[in-house]
Amino acid sequence: MTQPATPTRPAEPKRAAAPSPVKAVRLDLRTLSLLGVLAALVVVGGITQPDSFLDTDNVQLILTQASVIGVVTVGMTFVIISGGIDLSVGAIVALASCWATTVATQEYGFIGILFTALVVGVGCGLVNGVLIAYGGMVPFIATLAMLASGRGLALQITDGKTQVVDVDSVLKLGERDSYILGIPPLVLVFAAVTVIGWLVLNRTTFGRRSVAVGGNAEAARLAGIDVRRQRLYLYLLSGLCCGIAAFLLIVLAGSGQNTNGNLYELDAIAAAIIGGTLLTGGRGTIVGSVLGVLIFTTITNIFALNNLQSDVQEIAKGAIIVAAVLVQRRTASAHT
């Protein structure tokens, strides 16, 4: 007699792997190291210029200057995490600030300026996203073309002249009377964008999809993620951040001009890299990028207070970027 077949037990589904404690510790160490660098810069500034660097007005100035490029960096971080790049952010900021400060736009007051800045930013992001996601263009080329076009259009709108803002409700946001508990409104906007960016990246499906696309686009596609649509959304997000930054710059400078946002793309990319965002995509943190912005802004302030030449400042920035990339490569090779 044949023995009855022994029923086989269905295979148990594999449990999701728990987050690696080594990776968590590594991320914490990176954040702590950035905080250590920032603390060291504060000490240097306090020693070299004890009367002016730690003054409340100077601290407010550092945070205000960090706010504009900081908002741009949040959007750039998302793009780089997804494996892309956006070289047009500075040009978009310039174009949005110029378009939002024309005489025709200012006739609509505060809402008109804000709305125009946001729409222009999102519109440029839409063009970038469509060209890259659905046109198959390399992000470097598509955003480089937007950089040239945006700068050219901004110059055409302004005719090379500064467009002064005469809307009181906009200008008052930059005055001390508008500070809330001693904090400038621009800093509060930067803080809100940072918090929202952190929540989106770490607590939403959108954030997880962005990381997945940057880590392995083909694997993400096989997992059911619409990679093209995700990339489109990411460049829309970057454009939106540029629109917000353009409005903040209008408040800060009280004008719009075609030279606004000069080299913002390099500063944003550098801050993201310093913060631990991989240029190859798949990893990055909003907190790290914000700390990178604060580090660069503090360096600029210290150099200005000590009357050091700008070329020395740029050399120092370049050295920091190279060091950060070398650390990234060493860390990546050690864990492969």
Side-chain angles (χ1 to χ4, degrees):
M1 297 179 61
T2 58
Q3 297 290 335
T6 304
T8 58
R9 298 176 60 186
E12 296 183 0
K14 294 181 179 180
R15 296 182 179 180
S20 171
V22 176
K23 182 178 180 180
V25 171
R26 191 164 69 246
L27 291 175
D28 290 340
L29 289 176
R30 183 182 296 112
T31 302
L32 289 175
S33 65
L34 291 172
L35 288 172
V37 171
L38 185 59
L41 289 174
V42 171
V43 172
V44 171
I47 293 175
T48 57
Q49 295 291 333
D51 295 330
S52 54
F53 180 77
L54 298 177
D55 185 73
T56 302
D57 291 340
N58 189 59
V59 173
Q60 291 173 338
L61 175 63
I62 292 174
L63 294 176
T64 300
Q65 292 177 337
S67 298
V68 180
I69 185 62
V71 171
V72 174
T73 302
V74 171
M76 180 70 79
T77 301
F78 275 92
V79 171
I80 297 179
I81 285 176
S82 70
I85 198 74
D86 192 347
L87 300 180
S88 64
V89 291
I92 295 175
V93 169
L95 178 58
S97 67
C98 291
W99 209 323
T101 54
T102 60
V103 175
T105 303
Q106 291 193 50
E107 290 180 356
Y108 294 93
F110 182 97
I111 298 299
I113 293 176
L114 175 60
F115 178 78
T116 302
L118 296 180
V119 169
V120 172
V122 173
C124 291
L126 176 63
V127 173
N128 282 336
V130 170
L131 291 176
I132 294 168
Y134 295 96
M137 292 187 66
V138 178
F140 181 91
I141 301 300
T143 58
L144 186 62
M146 177 60 72
L147 184 156
S149 302
R151 287 289 177 191
L153 186 54
L155 179 60
Q156 187 178 45
I157 290 174
T158 61
D159 195 23
K161 301 176 183 178
T162 299
Q163 298 180 158
V164 179
V165 176
D166 58 6
V167 179
D168 292 337
S169 56
V170 174
L171 298 175
K172 285 182 179 179
L173 289 177
E175 298 177 355
R176 186 169 296 276
D177 292 341
S178 299
Y179 289 10
I180 301 175
L181 300 178
I183 303 175
L186 275 66
V187 178
L188 294 176
V189 173
F190 175 35
V193 171
T194 299
V195 172
I196 293 173
W198 185 89
L199 290 174
V200 171
L201 180 60
N202 296 281
R203 295 289 184 268
T204 68
T205 303
F206 181 87
R208 290 191 292 271
R209 288 176 177 173
S210 301
V211 175
V213 169
N216 191 322
E218 181 61 20
R221 185 186 68 81
L222 294 175
I225 297 175
D226 190 331
V227 175
R228 293 190 299 178
R229 185 173 60 186
Q230 186 69 20
R231 285 175 175 162
L232 173 62
Y233 288 162
L234 286 164
Y235 282 96
L236 284 173
L237 175 61
S238 179
L240 175 62
C241 288
C242 290
I244 296 173
F247 180 77
L248 297 183
L249 193 57
I250 291 171
V251 173
L252 184 63
S255 63
Q257 49 188 329
N258 64 288
T259 56
N260 283 343
N262 188 35
L263 297 181
Y264 271 20
E265 55 277 0
L266 298 183
D267 288 341
I269 293 171
I273 294 173
I274 294 299
T277 301
L278 288 180
L279 278 173
T280 53
R283 192 185 75 193
T285 66
I286 298 297
V287 173
S289 296
V290 169
L291 289 175
V293 170
L294 293 176
I295 287 173
F296 275 130
T297 308
T298 304
I299 290 174
T300 302
N301 184 263
I302 292 175
F303 275 56
L305 291 177
N306 287 277
N307 296 319
L308 296 177
Q309 297 180 354
S310 59
D311 54 352
V312 179
Q313 172 186 323
E314 297 304 322
I315 293 173
K317 283 185 177 182
I320 293 173
I321 295 171
V322 171
V325 173
L326 290 176
V327 169
Q328 279 191 1
R329 292 185 61 182
R330 185 173 181 180
T331 303
S333 60
H335 292 88
T336 54

